[in-house]
């Protein structure tokens, strides 16, 4: 693997050689880093007069490629399974939970408040409030920070947050003309009125409106945006394939070594029990190089191999005030500290959320990039990740687009997504944020760090970043 990456470096532009070189270093030294990790002593980020919010536990059912074992289920089935997995792992009494918040993106019409339906299905009291939020790929991030706000404000002591997505079955609508006709037909009083409306239906009325992972404001798919972003930052096809291969290789290693502790088994009704993610598939540069561009044809660089795949999955995370967690006998995993949300141009800067959010959250927390021990960034596309890393490491970009005097710098890859990322583990839109946070907490414990930084881009040109602090051992 290392020799292949080293060979690829020689083919890259000088400006991008650092990225591929860091890939070699991260793969060759990840095990040594874990073995040599020592606890660090840094200041805690707790604030006087503000309640500490802790992560007690976080779980997810295995993330699966759409159209596989979860294909016949509904979103609330997956969310219910995640909630039940959380209850089983923590033994938290259902009646202790004050509130439930879930994130989702592609809403199923019959269960638009999927949080409520999943909660009832998981056996929570009908007196436990639950609501659903949507903020594209940072929907469960919003669910978590909503819970943080409730606890910090003293409104709740225990909140369950999570996210769910079922890309195997998305809503397909009748055309607007057909919907209007059917709604009018429903209000028709007489047989004559009904026959008159039916007679106006034309063949084109039956053409369905298919959903697309596209921006409403630009009508452009995320893949097109990723392709243009990669071109703007000079990210080659080789670089993108190298990074995607790194993600799958590290995810496979983490899976084999039992590091993906957040995964809980799910007995799919009528099928076998699912125990692990099924999208982790390390390939080779040769095989990946055979794939054709998926969006900008024929010269684009974004392919199925260097993009996250359509994924089904759900996650859940148990948040408490520190006092409540300790009173109940729990040993928290981490504190959730400062967080920010950002927005920028949804066309040319659609996927640059981490670049804008990272310096803001660091400044808010009084930290520098060097203080961060673990980075967990959402990988929508390999080109998107590499473009963010280049933008973060560019004084020119900082000065001309961010209104900053200098760059924030790029995270070192030996601290970056070292257990795989969305490219390999999967990306159920609404569920990814919780995976990022609990993975950061587990990596901090495993590697001896204190601060983790979670960041993600989202449709609409938005982004999120949060500081995760290890709970004292």
């Amino acid at each position: 693997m290392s020799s292949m990456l080293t060979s690829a470096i020689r083919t890259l532009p000088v400006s991008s050689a650092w990225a591929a070189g860091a890939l070699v270093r991260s793969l060759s030294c990840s095990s040594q880093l874990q073995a040599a990790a020592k606890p660090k002593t840094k200041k805690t980020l707790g604030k006087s007069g503000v309640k500490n919010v802790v992560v007690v536990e976080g779980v997810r059912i295995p993330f699966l490629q759409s159209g596989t074992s979860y294909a016949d289920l509904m979103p609330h089935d997956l969310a219910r399974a995640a909630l039940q997995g959380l209850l089983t792992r923590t033994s938290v009494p259902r009646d202790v939970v004050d509130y439930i918040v879930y994130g989702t993106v592609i809403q199923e019409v019959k269960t638009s408040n999927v949080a409520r339906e999943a909660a009832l299905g998981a056996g929570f009291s009908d007196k436990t409030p639950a609501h659903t939020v949507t903020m594209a790929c940072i929907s469960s991030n919003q669910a978590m920070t909503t819970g943080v706000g409730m606890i910090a404000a003293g409104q709740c002591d225990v909140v369950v947050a999570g996210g769910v997505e079922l890309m195997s079955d998305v809503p397909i609508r009748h055309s607007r003309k057909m919907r209007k006709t059917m709604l009018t037909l429903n209000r028709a009083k007489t047989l004559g009125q009904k026959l008159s409306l039916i007679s106006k239906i034309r063949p084109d009325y039956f053409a369905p409106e298919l959903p697309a992972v596209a921006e409403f404001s630009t009508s452009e798919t995320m893949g097109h945006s990723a392709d243009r972003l990669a071109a703007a930052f000079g990210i080659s096809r080789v670089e993108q394939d190298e990074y995607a291969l790194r993600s799958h290789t590290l995810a496979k290693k983490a899976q084999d070594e039992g590091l993906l502790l957040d995964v809980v088994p799910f007995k799919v009704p009528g099928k076998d029990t699912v125990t692990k993610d099924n999208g982790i598939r390390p390939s080779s540069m040769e095989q990946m190089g055979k794939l054709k561009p998926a969006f900008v044809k024929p010269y684009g660089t974004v392919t199925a191999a260097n993009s996250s795949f359509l994924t089904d999955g759900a996650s859940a995370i148990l948040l408490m005030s520190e006092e409540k967690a300790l009173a109940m006998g729990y040993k928290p995993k981490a504190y959730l500290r400062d967080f920010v949300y950002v927005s920028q141009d949804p066309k040319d800067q659609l996927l640059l959320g981490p670049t804008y959010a990272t310096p803001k959250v660091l400044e808010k927390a009084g930290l520098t990039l060097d203080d961060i021990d673990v980075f967990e960034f959402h990988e929508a596309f390999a080109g998107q990740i590499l473009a963010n890393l280049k933008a973060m490491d560019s004084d020119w970009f900082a000065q001309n687009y961010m209104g900053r005097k200098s760059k924030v710098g790029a995270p070192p890859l030996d601290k970056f997504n070292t257990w795989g990322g969305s490219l390999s583990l999967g990306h159920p839109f609404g569920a990814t944020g919780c995976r990022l946070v609990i993975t950061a907490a587990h990596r901090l414990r495993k590697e001896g760090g204190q601060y983790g930084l979670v960041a993600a881009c989202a449709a609409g040109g938005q982004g999120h970043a949060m500081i995760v602090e290890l709970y004292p051992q």
Side-chain angles (χ1 to χ4, degrees):
M1 179 68 180
S2 294
S3 61
M4 178 179 64
L5 289 172
T6 303
S7 174
I9 291 172
R10 290 193 283 268
T11 69
L12 298 182
V14 174
S15 62
S16 60
W18 69 270
L23 303 186
V24 177
R25 292 192 295 275
S26 67
L27 287 172
S28 64
C29 69
S30 59
S31 59
Q32 293 95 318
L33 279 172
Q34 290 183 9
K38 295 180 180 179
K40 301 176 182 179
T41 55
K42 301 175 182 176
K43 65 177 181 179
T44 181
L45 299 180
K47 298 177 181 178
S48 177
V50 178
K51 279 193 174 185
N52 286 325
V53 180
V54 297
V55 174
V56 173
E57 185 60 274
V59 303
R60 62 184 178 90
I61 60 174
F63 288 177
L64 303 186
Q65 293 181 323
S66 63
T68 56
S69 294
Y70 300 157
D72 296 329
L73 302 179
M74 293 178 68
H76 71 279
D77 295 319
L78 306 190
R80 180 183 67 238
L83 288 172
Q84 290 172 332
L86 184 67
L87 292 169
T88 298
R89 180 166 289 187
T90 62
S91 298
V92 64
R94 288 174 173 82
D95 59 2
V96 169
V97 176
D98 299 311
Y99 208 98
I100 297 171
V101 192
Y102 251 74
T104 196
V105 180
I106 310 297
Q107 291 191 341
E108 202 281 325
V109 178
K110 292 183 178 179
T111 55
S112 57
N113 186 3
V114 69
R116 176 64 169 172
E117 305 308 329
L120 293 174
F124 285 90
S125 166
D126 57 10
K127 303 296 189 293
T128 304
H131 81 270
T132 302
V133 298
T134 187
M135 202 174 182
C137 300
I138 52 176
S139 293
S140 64
N141 306 67
Q142 182 59 252
M144 285 185 287
T145 57
T146 297
V148 168
M150 289 177 165
I151 295 171
Q155 298 301 309
C156 300
D157 281 320
V158 183
V159 174
V160 172
V164 63
E165 216 67 53
L166 183 68
M167 297 305 295
S168 289
D169 182 30
V170 296
I172 298 175
R173 304 192 303 179
H174 279 291
S175 67
R176 186 68 178 265
K177 292 179 180 179
M178 189 62 171
R179 298 201 306 273
K180 184 177 180 180
T181 300
M182 293 173 71
L183 290 171
T184 306
L185 184 64
N186 193 50
R187 295 192 296 270
K189 302 295 185 181
T190 66
L191 178 61
Q193 290 174 334
K194 293 179 180 180
L195 292 175
S196 176
L197 287 168
I198 293 173
S199 69
K200 295 178 181 178
I201 296 176
R202 298 294 178 263
D204 65 308
Y205 283 28
F206 293 95
E209 292 181 356
L210 301 176
V213 184
E215 287 297 298
F216 179 80
S217 58
T218 65
S219 298
E220 187 175 63
T221 67
M222 268 196 171
H224 278 88
S225 296
D227 234 322
R228 190 174 59 254
L229 190 66
F233 281 90
I235 311 294
S236 71
R237 165 76 178 269
V238 171
E239 286 180 279
Q240 294 175 61
D241 287 352
E242 288 274 8
Y243 185 87
L245 183 56
R246 171 191 187 266
S247 182
H248 281 273
T249 301
L250 293 175
K252 177 62 174 168
K253 184 174 183 292
Q255 188 179 68
D256 291 345
E257 294 180 359
L259 299 178
L260 305 181
L261 300 174
D262 56 334
V263 177
V264 293
F266 176 26
K267 175 61 174 73
V268 180
K271 298 183 180 179
D272 294 336
T273 298
V274 180
T275 60
K276 62 182 182 180
D277 308 316
N278 71 359
I280 303 174
R281 297 180 180 180
S283 183
S284 68
M285 290 296 292
E286 291 74 20
Q287 289 296 321
M288 295 169 74
K290 293 178 182 178
L291 296 184
K292 296 181 179 180
F295 301 99
V296 178
K297 304 174 183 180
Y299 302 115
T301 57
V302 175
T303 71
N306 57 42
S307 307
S308 58
F309 49 88
L310 296 179
T311 315
D312 301 334
S315 57
I317 197 164
L318 179 59
L319 307 177
M320 292 187 182
S321 65
E322 183 179 18
E323 296 85 353
K324 183 69 172 182
L326 296 179
M328 293 187 67
Y330 289 109
K331 181 63 179 292
K333 293 181 179 293
Y335 295 106
L336 294 188
R337 297 302 195 189
D338 292 287
F339 61 87
V340 299
Y341 289 92
V342 296
S343 293
Q344 55 278 340
D345 171 29
K347 185 174 177 65
D348 292 329
Q349 300 187 49
L350 174 71
L351 304 173
L352 288 178
T355 296
Y356 285 87
T358 295
K360 288 187 176 183
V361 80
L362 288 172
E363 290 165 1
K364 193 173 183 182
L367 301 176
T368 69
L369 205 68
D370 291 337
D371 291 317
I372 303 301
D373 305 296
V374 160
F375 295 88
E376 283 293 326
F377 279 33
H378 164 45
E379 301 170 349
F381 303 88
Q384 162 257 328
I385 279 288
L386 294 175
N388 273 276
L389 297 184
K390 281 196 172 183
M392 292 171 67
D393 206 33
S394 168
D395 284 321
W396 181 89
F397 189 86
Q399 293 162 5
N400 287 274
Y401 284 91
M402 301 177 67
R404 300 178 59 84
K405 293 181 179 180
S406 61
K407 64 187 180 184
V408 64
L413 286 191
D414 57 10
K415 298 180 179 180
F416 190 88
N417 290 13
T418 57
W419 292 0
S422 305
L423 290 170
S424 49
L425 299 171
H427 175 38
F429 301 147
T432 290
C434 289
R435 178 190 68 76
L436 296 173
V437 166
I438 197 62
T439 299
H442 286 157
R443 284 185 56 202
L444 287 171
R445 180 74 69 198
K446 176 73 174 177
E447 299 169 12
Q450 184 169 344
Y451 300 138
L453 196 157
V454 169
C457 63
Q462 302 189 103
H464 171 259
M466 175 187 284
I467 301 295
V468 179
E469 181 183 344
L470 180 70
Y471 197 83
Q473 299 187 33

